[in-house]
Structures are given as structure tokens and as C-alpha cells.
RNA sequence: GUGAGAUUAGCUCAAUUGGUUAGAGCGCCAGAUUGUGGUUCUGGAGGUUGUGGGUUCGAUCCCCAUAUCUCACCCCA
């Protein structure tokens, strides 16, 4: 039987891990530098914790975990016989894999609220799962790196997060475009166009397609979906939306008091950066930016590589007034950002950014090659001494031809090989070969660590 | 969940119109070289053509189903 892994999941080999760890540790460094503290939550949550938080589509994409043991024992017979999967689910599955890190965080905050000092800055870097059909930049298991600050409405937090985004991508060596908008502006626009209240989400998703499919298609979708409470002319609507990006903040303010509030918020965030230059990012106001989950209520942020602004986003976030309210603790506003490290990896790979970072796959600095049983034993003792000096070392495990041992070291990229033979043991002088040049020298075992430390890595 | 394309050796790809023993490069293994990797030379192994059915005298090739990958829709990191 040929083994395989579930679709949309991946194995990561040593070279990939090096690159991924570089991204993960870079993000963590930046998070810590602003006082964010790490937490972790379980891969599984109770189903009720997750369902209903991501919209109808989101619910469909949650991986359910079947109850252990005889899961049919407590199954709802009526629903089972009716083959009604959706209705049967609660009686056979009580757990689900987490879909993102924000909702589990809200649950965490509610459960630990008495131990937390607010405002609370936390970061979390863990895999999440979505039962989506895989495609470019989309996996069923992927990592999110989230930083959230909860317990404050201060717009300083947004500025802080944007600064962190800039810092991360500057360290990674990638130019990005950070787009910023505000849900209040979107609802202001919707109100001024006469969008029905219940159609707001439909309006927002259509609006979001402008960049991808153009104004005409977005408008067509809005009209087809019948989202307006009064007659709207197609060409007037197109014209209105087309002017959106160029529209000055003042023009947006005129739309409605709510939109004015949104504009105010964005301008406040900008004011924190006054005169400062971003290191690696261009921050843009985009009044048509609509991305973000349902729970966002204020600022929304989306980050794309400057080289692929039409591609998928590599980072996103926003402000929520009351995320913990759904778990019974109202009045805790917050704002967060999420880095999609799998997509960041893909972009960096494509742009050859890892090569410039000189990342190395961890490999022993020294290998002992040997000619027989006694030599191998001798090498084993030396190897443990050399490790004591902080130098990674391994002994070739089998007794075989020196050629084969050398071949192994060369292929593996081990930079130094110490050859232990009868001569070496007799004279007490080890033969050390530098693999890149082929140069060899003899030295006493005690000098090995000094010699290897002295050489640059 | 909907639609399109792909799948041949470990990898990248060939194979005429449905016709004899499915080939090449790279990689792998062994030897040339019994104390030395990368270069070179010589030899060798490796395939139920993704899987399961069907049509046919005969299928890598045509048909159906299924799995996986890629791309798009939906939605999203």
C-alpha cells in the first residue's frame, strides 16, 4: 500500500522548515518587541464555540471531529433515518478543529478573564484547518500568526499593529501594500445607496470583487442580488463606485455621520505616523476594501505583496467592538492582525527571497569517519567531547568503506570530516578534512573544537 | 459545494493512427580507485503507464467511475 496524506495537507522537509522557521521567528520577534505575550489553545474546540462565528460559508468549512467510540449509540435516530446530515451532526460530533485563532482567543479571554490584566496583548502561532478545496495559496491545514490587543478602543493599537506589519516585512525583505478601511465607512456608503440592512454582507462581498472582476461585474452582482431598498440605476452606481478610490476624506464624510466617524478613525491612525516613513510598506486608504470576517466593526486592514497586488492577501486584520460578547462577556473591544505564513512562504519562495537570507539546513559541523570497531569507539568518545564544546558532531554509524562515509558527508553538506584510522589513534593526531576545499591537516583531538569554532559558519 | 485541465521510472519529460520488448536526461546502486566525497569512464537496477471497471483480436492512447495535483468559482491566510 502506498501511503498518502489528506488533500490540502503537506509534509515539510528540512529545507522548508528552515525557511518557515525563519518567518515564524521573525514574526515572533516583532510581536515580543511590542510586548505581546504568547498563548496556545487546543487544536480542537467544542463545536458550539466555533459554529455561527464565521457566517454560513464558514460553518461549512469547519472540520468536524466524530465522537469517540460508538458514535452512533447516541445518534438522533430520526435524523439518521432521514439522512439529514446537518441535523444529525450535533448528536454524533461535539468537537471541531479550530478555524482561526481569533475566536479561540475570545473564548480564552472569557475563561481566563479574572487572571488577565487588560489591555491584554497576546500573540499566537498555530495551525488552523479549513475544509476548503485546495488551490493556489490555499491549504486545508495552514498556520496563522496572530497578534491581538483586547480591552482598549484606542486607535493607537491600530497604529502599533501597522507598525509591526511594516517591521515584519522589512525584516523579511518584502515590499508590501497595506490597505486600510473602516467598516463604518462601508456601512455609511451602503446606507447612502439605500442597501437593505440585511443585505450589507452581500453588498460588501460584491464591493470586494471590484479589484478582481471590475466595476461592471460588481455592480451587476449587486443589482442581481436585489440588495437595494430603492431603484438604483446601473450606470449611476458604477459611476459612484468608480469615483470612490479618488474621493477625498471630506467627500466621504458627507455621506453620513457614521461614515464621517470611520474617516475620523482612519485619519487618527494616520496621525500617529505623521512624518514617519514606513520601512517596507505603502499604506493606502481604500474605501472599497471590504475583506474581513463578519465580526469586524471598525478598522479593517489587508496586506498584499507590492509585486502581486492582485494576488491573495498575506496578512489581514481588523477591529471588533465586542468579540467576547458572544461568550457572555460584553464590553471588551479589541483589534488584531493575522499573518498567513504559508502564503508569505510561497511569495518569498517565488521571489527568491530566502536565498538572500543565507538560510541553512541544520547539519552536523563535523563528522567522524572511521576504519573499524576500535576507531569507531574512539570517535564516539571524541564526538561527545566536541559536543560539550558546543559543536554539532556525528559519528558515521556503520563500519564501511571510507569512500562511502565521505560521500555521505559530502552529500549531506557536512563541512568537516575527521578521519580516525590506525595511524591517527597511534599518533594521537586526527586527520581533519575541510570538505569545500579538500584541504587536510593533522591536529591533536584537543585542538578540534578551537579549530572548528574559529572557522566561520 | 460547482466547473476545467492533468496524472507514464525517485525527479523532469518522450512514445507516430489503438499495434512487437514503454524510452531519454538527471538521480540511485556497483566497479574503475582495498585510507578520502564533488569531475570522468564502465556497468546495473528501477514501470501492473494513479486506482477500479468497460469497449476491442489488441489500450499509455477511446469510454465510465474514483483518488490526487493544478487552475478558476464560492469564500478566505
Amino acid at each position: 500500500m502506498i501511503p498518502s496524506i489528506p488533500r490540502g495537507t503537506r509534509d515539510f522537509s528540512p529545507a522548508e522548515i528552515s525557511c518557515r522557521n525563519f518567518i515564524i521567528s521573525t514574526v515572533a520577534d516583532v510581536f515580543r518587541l511590542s510586548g505581546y505575550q504568547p498563548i496556545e489553545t487546543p487544536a480542537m474546540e467544542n463545536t458550539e464555540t466555533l459554529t455561527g462565528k464565521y457566517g454560513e460559508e464558514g460553518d461549512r468549512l469547519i472540520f468536524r471531529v466524530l465522537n469517540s467510540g460508538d458514535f452512533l449509540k447516541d445518534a438522533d435516530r430520526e435524523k439518521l433515518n432521514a439522512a439529514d446530515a446537518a441535523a444529525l451532526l450535533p448528536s454524533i460530533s461535539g468537537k471541531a478543529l479550530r478555524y482561526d485563532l481569533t475566536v479561540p482567543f475570545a473564548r480564552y479571554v472569557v475563561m481566563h478573564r479574572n487572571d488577565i490584566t487588560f489591555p491584554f496583548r497576546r500573540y499566537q502561532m498555530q495551525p488552523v484547518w479549513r475544509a476548503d478545496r485546495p488551490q493556489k495559496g490555499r491549504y486545508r491545514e495552514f498556520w496563522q500568526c496572530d497578534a491581538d490587543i483586547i480591552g482598549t478602543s484606542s486607535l493607537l493599537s491600530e497604529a502599533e499593529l501597522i507598525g509591526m506589519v511594516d517591521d515584519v516585512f522589512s525584516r523579511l525583505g518584502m515590499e508590501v501594500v497595506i490597505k486600510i478601511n473602516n467598516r463604518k465607512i462601508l456601512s455609511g456608503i451602503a446606507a447612502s445607496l439605500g442597501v437593505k440592512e440585511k443585505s450589507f454582507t452581500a453588498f460588501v462581498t460584491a464591493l470586494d470583487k471590484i479589484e478582481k472582476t471590475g466595476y461592471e461585474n460588481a455592480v451587476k452582482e449587486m443589482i442581481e442580488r436585489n440588495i437595494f431598498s430603492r431603484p438604483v440605476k446601473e450606470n449611476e452606481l458604477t459611476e459612484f463606485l468608480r469615483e470612490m478610490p479618488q474621493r477625498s476624506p471630506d467627500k466621504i464624510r458627507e455621506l453620513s455621520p457614521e461614515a464621517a466617524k470611520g474617516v475620523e478613525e482612519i485619519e487618527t491612525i494616520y496621525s500617529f505616523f505623521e512624518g514617519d516613513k514606513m520601512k517596507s510598506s505603502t499604506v493606502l486608504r481604500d474605501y472599497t476594501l471590504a475583506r474581513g470576517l463578519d465580526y469586524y466593526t471598525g478598522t479593517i486592514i489587508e496586506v498584499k505583496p507590492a509585486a502581486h497586488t492582485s494576488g491573495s492577501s498575506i496578512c489581514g486584520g481588523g477591529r471588533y467592538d465586542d468579540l467576547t460578547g458572544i461568550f457572555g462577556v460584553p464590553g471588551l473591544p479589541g483589534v488584531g492582525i493575522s499573518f498567513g505564513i504559508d502564503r508569505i512562504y510561497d511569495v518569498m519562495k517565488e521571489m527568491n527571497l530566502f536565498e538572500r537570507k543565507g538560510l541553512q539546513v541544520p547539519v552536523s559541523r563535523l563528522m567522524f569517519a572511521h576504519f573499524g570497531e576500535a576507531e569507531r569507539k574512539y570517535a564516539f568518545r571524541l564526538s561527545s567531547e566536541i559536543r560539550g564544546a558546543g559543536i554539532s558532531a556525528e559519528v558515521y554509524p556503520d563500519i564501511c568503506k571510507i569512500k562511502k562515509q565521505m560521500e555521505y558527508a559530502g552529500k549531506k553538506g557536512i563541512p568537516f570530516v575527521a578521519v580516525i584510522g590506525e595511524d591517527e589513534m597511534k599518533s594521537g593526531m586526527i586527520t581533519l578534512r575541510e570538505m569545500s576545499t579538500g584541504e587536510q591537516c593533522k591536529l591533536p583531538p584537543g585542538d578540534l573544537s578551537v579549530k572548528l569554532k574559529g572557522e566561520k559558519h
Side-chain angles (χ1 to χ4, degrees):
Chain A
M1 173 207 162
I2 301 160
S4 63
I5 55 176
R7 74 190 308 190
T9 65
R10 298 151 295 159
D11 286 327
F12 299 110
S13 295
E16 292 162 296
I17 291 290
S18 293
C19 297
R20 288 172 65 86
N21 281 350
F22 171 68
I23 299 172
I24 291 170
S25 62
T26 299
V27 173
D29 286 347
V30 170
F31 285 173
R32 278 190 231 113
L33 208 49
S34 289
Y36 288 74
Q37 298 177 307
I39 70 160
E40 291 192 10
T41 63
M44 283 181 280
E45 292 280 348
N46 292 328
T47 306
E48 315 82 80
T49 305
L50 303 182
T51 46
K53 311 298 190 296
Y54 309 105
E56 200 179 314
E57 190 70 16
D59 275 4
R60 211 194 73 210
L61 300 178
I62 293 171
F63 271 108
R64 316 285 183 141
V65 179
L66 214 48
N67 290 343
S68 313
D70 183 6
F71 58 86
L72 278 183
K73 186 163 52 90
D74 301 319
D76 186 325
R77 308 307 300 192
E78 195 183 318
K79 305 292 195 312
L80 182 60
N81 292 333
D84 186 342
L88 177 66
L89 217 36
S91 66
I92 60 170
S93 161
K95 302 177 289 297
L97 296 179
R98 66 167 165 257
Y99 178 90
D100 73 354
L101 300 178
T102 307
V103 169
F105 173 52
R107 192 224 80 220
Y108 171 94
V109 167
V110 168
M111 287 180 66
H112 301 271
R113 61 187 180 281
N114 294 326
D115 308 316
I116 294 172
T117 306
F118 294 99
F120 177 42
R121 287 179 170 87
R122 77 85 231 226
Y123 75 86
Q124 187 172 357
M125 309 200 290
Q126 289 186 280
V128 303
W129 294 269
R130 292 182 190 178
D132 214 345
R133 185 173 289 205
Q135 56 177 283
K136 192 183 180 66
R138 175 174 300 182
Y139 309 98
R140 299 181 115 183
E141 177 184 60
F142 62 97
W143 277 58
Q144 289 193 333
C145 299
D146 278 30
D148 285 75
I149 176 161
I150 191 162
T152 173
S153 299
S154 169
L155 296 166
L156 180 80
S157 307
E158 272 90 332
E160 176 178 295
L161 290 171
I162 289 168
M164 285 158 60
V165 170
D166 182 48
D167 199 3
V168 164
F169 288 109
S170 139
R171 289 176 189 223
L172 295 179
M174 190 195 300
E175 295 279 327
V176 294
V177 173
I178 303 174
K179 283 190 177 177
I180 176 168
N181 194 15
N182 195 296
R183 271 284 162 114
K184 293 177 181 122
I185 292 175
L186 289 174
S187 60
I189 293 170
S192 73
L193 286 172
V195 174
K196 295 176 199 160
E197 210 161 297
K198 61 169 187 187
S199 298
F200 179 65
T201 307
F203 169 70
V204 159
T205 36
L207 197 64
D208 193 50
K209 282 177 201 152
I210 288 176
E211 192 172 23
K212 207 168 186 178
T213 63
Y215 289 93
E216 285 78 8
N217 286 324
V219 165
K220 209 172 284 173
E221 182 173 330
M222 287 178 194
I223 290 173
E224 271 169 17
R225 290 242 213 153
N226 186 30
I227 63 169
F228 300 104
S229 57
R230 59 167 190 260
V232 170
K233 283 191 185 137
E234 194 168 328
N235 53 352
E236 279 173 19
L237 180 58
T238 308
E239 211 40 49
F240 177 85
L241 294 176
R242 211 187 279 280
E243 286 170 9
M244 246 14 234
Q246 290 85 38
R247 211 165 273 222
S248 70
D250 285 333
K251 282 274 194 180
I252 301 291
R253 278 195 187 92
E254 290 167 10
L255 291 176
S256 79
E258 197 184 12
K261 180 83 169 52
V263 170
E264 215 52 60
E265 290 183 9
I266 291 182
E267 295 315 305
T268 304
I269 294 165
Y270 263 79
S271 74
F272 285 109
F273 291 109
E274 218 163 13
D276 294 352
K277 278 253 159 56
M278 288 285 160
K279 285 176 285 194
S280 199
S281 339
T282 311
V283 184
L284 296 176
R285 299 169 183 81
D286 180 352
Y287 301 127
T288 61
L289 172 67
R291 284 287 154 117
L293 284 313
D294 277 353
Y295 46 68
Y296 291 136
T297 50
T299 311
I300 44 182
I301 294 167
E302 182 179 79
V303 184
K304 290 182 176 189
H308 300 85
T309 47
S310 58
S312 53
S313 63
I314 51 179
C315 178
R319 173 168 284 282
Y320 37 86
D321 283 337
D322 187 21
L323 190 63
T324 53
I326 45 178
F327 297 122
V329 178
L332 277 178
V335 57
I337 191 91
S338 178
F339 291 81
I341 71 150
D342 301 81
R343 286 183 177 176
I344 293 173
Y345 173 93
D346 288 346
V347 173
M348 288 185 71
K349 192 84 191 166
E350 199 184 314
M351 296 172 72
N352 295 320
L353 294 182
F354 291 117
E355 285 164 28
R356 283 179 233 168
K357 297 292 175 188
L359 295 178
Q360 286 184 334
V361 176
V363 65
S364 293
R365 184 144 172 78
L366 173 68
M367 186 195 88
F368 288 92
H370 47 78
F371 284 93
E373 192 58 54
E375 289 90 342
R376 184 170 64 171
K377 224 171 244 173
Y378 181 76
F380 184 72
R381 294 212 187 92
L382 275 185
S383 72
S384 116
E385 262 174 51
I386 208 103
R387 288 186 200 113
I391 291 163
S392 57
E394 63 186 272
V395 179
Y396 195 85
D398 299 316
I399 292 168
C400 63
K401 277 194 283 190
I402 211 77
K403 177 189 168 79
K404 192 163 182 200
Q405 302 184 39
M406 282 291 176
E407 213 170 77
Y408 164 82
K411 225 178 264 179
K412 204 89 190 266
I414 295 171
F416 293 95
V417 172
V419 182
I420 312 289
E422 210 177 329
D423 298 349
E424 282 81 359
M425 281 180 70
K426 229 179 251 172
S427 64
M429 296 289 275
I430 304 283
T431 301
L432 182 69
R433 181 183 180 85
E434 185 168 357
M435 297 299 276
S436 59
T437 59
E439 280 169 32
Q440 295 194 178
C441 63
K442 294 219 167 194
L443 74 175
D447 290 358
L448 264 180
S449 61
V450 178
K451 167 85 176 158
L452 294 190
K453 248 181 197 158
E455 307 280 339
K456 75 176 174 61
H457 286 248

